[in-house]
Amino acid sequence: MLHAIIMAGGSGTRFWPASRAATPKQLLQLVGERSMIAQTAERLGDLVPPERRLVVTNARLVDAVREQLPNLPATGIVGEPCKRDTAPCIGLAALLVSRVAGDDAVMAVMPADHVITPDKAFQDAIKQAAALVEASPGLIVTFGIKPTYAAEIFGYIERGEAIDADGSPTFRVNSFREKPSVDVAEHYVASGNYYWNSGIFVWRARTILDALAERQPNMLEHLNNIADAWGTPEQQEVFDREFAAIEPISVDYAVMEHAENVAVIEAPYEWDDLGGWQSLARRLGTDTDGNTLVGKTICLDTTGSIIRSTGDHLITTLGVDNLIVVHTPNATLVASRDNEEQIRKLVKELESRGWGEYL
């Protein structure tokens, strides 16, 4: 049976000041009427019932996640005691799934903060991937997004020979490439043989655990210690101690760069990872002046800007261009759209000043 793992431990600093430690990106309503994590759960529909879903998040977010996903059983939310990136998150989820469903259980692993439409196309793609994994034990299946421009912010997947499969076009993976320079990205796009890496995977629990045993044995030892104590009075004490001892590493570096038996399905759905405030223009559109306006605003002689207010707070602009303006109750961001990547630098400056009330 298929199990869904939703990774919800990210911080989303590029969405500061809306994204904070207590309300990171995945808990925000950025596009649509519900939060990102609620939309991710809804996207699964009847494909995976609540009892076979597992959300892995930060310990301090467990209550907030439970509030947003009330249909999940109490055991369906795991709160990591500290941030250790995606490989430990996925490894622990695989061990917990294998405890209840066996090593051959099929897992669909996905981030909590992506925009994917329509839901049916996503579900059909997951079904296709699960069928491939069922038919070929040891296979890892991922999803590639056809690039629409030479993006420097995404990893890329180089496709190889075609695989005969029902559904969307499917290929062997030749290699995974890290975020490239713009010149390299332009080459990737022009070749037609590369996809953006969506960060969504389907595999058997045994497959990912075997990969970690080969490439990250120390990590797996700590994770096994946690799994052995799961459900006992010592669970939290062991979890805190053993998880903190793991070196942070992404699943891309820990597993995917070295994996050989990997297939990529050309995603039949629309996808956006909402990397920062400029993504709102893509998702929500612009007015005749090129502005994306959210909330109560009056913008005169204003062009090419993204402006987001909350509640009854009014934002007015006059004679400006190419800005990002975001209001929250205790902090306001005003930035050039050209400097969006520097928002992370701003967040680090707040940390260095000890201004935790704004983080």
Side-chain angles (χ1 to χ4, degrees):
M1 284 188 280
L2 182 64
H3 295 252
I5 312 302
I6 299 175
M7 299 181 290
S11 56
T13 54
R14 284 185 291 179
F15 276 100
W16 189 88
S19 182
R20 307 285 183 96
T23 54
K25 171 185 170 186
Q26 61 270 23
L27 298 181
L28 296 178
Q29 179 188 330
L30 294 170
V31 177
E33 297 180 356
R34 301 200 65 191
S35 69
M36 305 303 299
I37 193 171
Q39 291 181 51
T40 301
E42 290 173 353
R43 189 175 303 128
L44 291 165
D46 296 329
L47 183 63
V48 183
E51 63 269 20
R52 296 206 306 270
R53 301 179 186 182
L54 184 66
V55 176
V56 185
T57 187
N58 189 289
R60 66 174 178 267
L61 301 178
V62 167
D63 289 342
V65 170
R66 184 171 290 119
E67 183 177 343
Q68 297 211 11
L69 303 179
N71 292 331
L72 276 185
T75 56
I77 305 174
V78 173
E80 296 174 334
C82 53
K83 184 177 176 59
R84 287 298 181 263
D85 218 322
T86 54
C89 162
I90 291 169
L92 178 59
L95 286 170
L96 296 180
V97 167
S98 67
R99 280 167 53 90
V100 298
D103 289 348
D104 287 329
V106 177
M107 302 165 53
V109 180
M110 63 203 71
D113 54 3
H114 289 178
V115 174
I116 295 175
T117 56
D119 290 354
K120 185 179 185 305
F122 175 77
Q123 293 169 18
D124 288 345
I126 295 292
K127 289 178 185 177
Q128 179 182 343
L132 288 169
V133 169
E134 291 279 9
S136 180
L139 180 67
I140 293 173
V141 180
T142 187
F143 300 88
I145 312 299
K146 289 187 70 174
T148 55
Y149 66 98
E152 302 171 73
I153 60 174
F154 300 135
Y156 284 74
I157 301 170
E158 181 187 12
R159 75 185 193 192
E161 63 182 14
I163 296 174
D164 186 19
D166 294 333
S168 298
T170 306
F171 304 87
R172 289 286 174 187
V173 170
N174 279 349
S175 65
F176 288 85
R177 305 293 178 89
E178 284 304 305
K179 298 173 182 178
S181 65
V182 65
D183 291 342
V184 174
E186 287 173 351
H187 165 72
Y188 289 169
V189 175
S191 75
N193 291 324
Y194 290 82
Y195 296 110
W196 288 336
N197 185 352
S198 68
I200 303 172
F201 307 99
V202 177
W203 47 43
R204 293 178 188 254
R206 181 193 307 274
T207 301
I208 187 63
L209 293 174
D210 285 348
L212 291 176
E214 179 183 357
R215 295 288 178 178
Q216 298 289 325
N218 187 58
M219 174 196 299
L220 188 59
E221 180 180 355
H222 291 297
L223 294 177
N224 274 318
N225 291 339
I226 296 169
D228 289 343
W230 209 257
T232 73
E234 292 76 35
Q235 173 180 318
Q236 195 60 51
E237 177 187 348
V238 174
F239 195 6
D240 292 346
R241 181 184 68 246
E242 297 291 329
F243 205 74
I246 295 172
E247 291 293 327
I249 186 171
S250 73
V251 72
D252 291 327
Y253 283 120
V255 174
M256 301 310 297
E257 283 191 350
H258 314 285
E260 296 179 353
N261 191 12
V262 187
V264 57
I265 295 174
E266 185 176 295
Y269 46 78
E270 186 178 347
W271 172 91
D272 197 317
D273 80 332
L274 289 192
W277 287 115
Q278 299 210 55
S279 61
L280 294 191
R282 294 195 302 270
R283 304 310 311 173
L284 301 179
T286 58
D287 62 18
T288 55
D289 292 315
N291 300 315
T292 299
L293 308 177
V294 180
K296 187 172 288 187
T297 59
I298 297 177
C299 301
L300 304 179
D301 297 327
T302 297
T303 54
S305 295
I306 298 168
I307 300 172
R308 183 179 189 264
S309 185
T310 55
D312 290 330
H313 186 88
L314 172 65
I315 295 178
T316 62
T317 59
L318 179 62
V320 299
D321 173 62
N322 201 45
L323 289 184
I324 298 171
V325 181
V326 180
H327 164 266
T328 68
N330 72 340
T332 300
L333 169 72
V334 181
S336 166
R337 290 181 65 166
D338 296 335
N339 291 95
E340 183 183 38
E341 287 297 316
Q342 298 302 311
I343 292 177
R344 288 176 171 173
K345 182 178 179 181
L346 197 158
V347 170
K348 289 182 179 179
E349 178 66 20
L350 291 172
E351 292 173 349
S352 70
R353 296 190 184 196
W355 291 1
E357 66 270 29
Y358 303 108
L359 295 172

